[in-house]
Amino acid sequence: MTTQPTPEDPAWEAKRRRAGIAAFLIGTAATFAFLAFFPGLPHVIDWGAIVASLAIGGLTRWAWQSHITRKHTALR
């Protein structure tokens, strides 16, 4: 017998989504700024820097959402 997961509280899902968006934007901007302005690197933004920034932003989003979900389920 399998159990169906219960739907989460819509307010919690909205908070989790907003936190994920914020984490994505912060991770993307921080990586982009690092790749653009780190001393010694050429100050040319290429497609590799943009793709890497988006990938790191996605990784940051995933990690942050995992963290807050784990924290939320531990408190329940």
Side-chain angles (χ1 to χ4, degrees), residues 1-2 6-7 12 16 20-23 25-27 30 33-35 39-41 53 55-56 59 62 65 67 72-73:
M1 182 171 162
T2 61
T6 59
W12 162 248
R16 185 176 180 267
I21 291 170
L25 292 175
I26 291 169
F34 174 79
L35 293 174
L41 295 176
S53 295
I56 301 276
L59 182 64
W62 171 77
Q65 282 188 332
H67 172 72
H72 177 72
T73 55

Side-chain angles (χ1 to χ4, degrees), residues 9-75:
D9 180 25
W12 162 248
E13 288 296 324
K15 180 179 177 182
R16 185 176 180 267
R17 180 177 168 86
R18 282 192 310 271
I21 291 170
F24 176 79
L25 292 175
I26 291 169
T28 301
T31 305
F32 192 70
F34 174 79
L35 293 174
F37 301 113
F38 190 77
L41 295 176
H43 295 299
V44 177
I45 298 299
D46 59 350
W47 283 106
I50 294 170
V51 171
S53 295
L54 293 174
I56 301 276
L59 182 64
T60 305
R61 177 185 178 269
W62 171 77
W64 185 249
Q65 282 188 332
S66 295
H67 172 72
I68 63 171
T69 300
R70 193 175 330 122
K71 193 165 95 173
H72 177 72
T73 55
L75 295 175

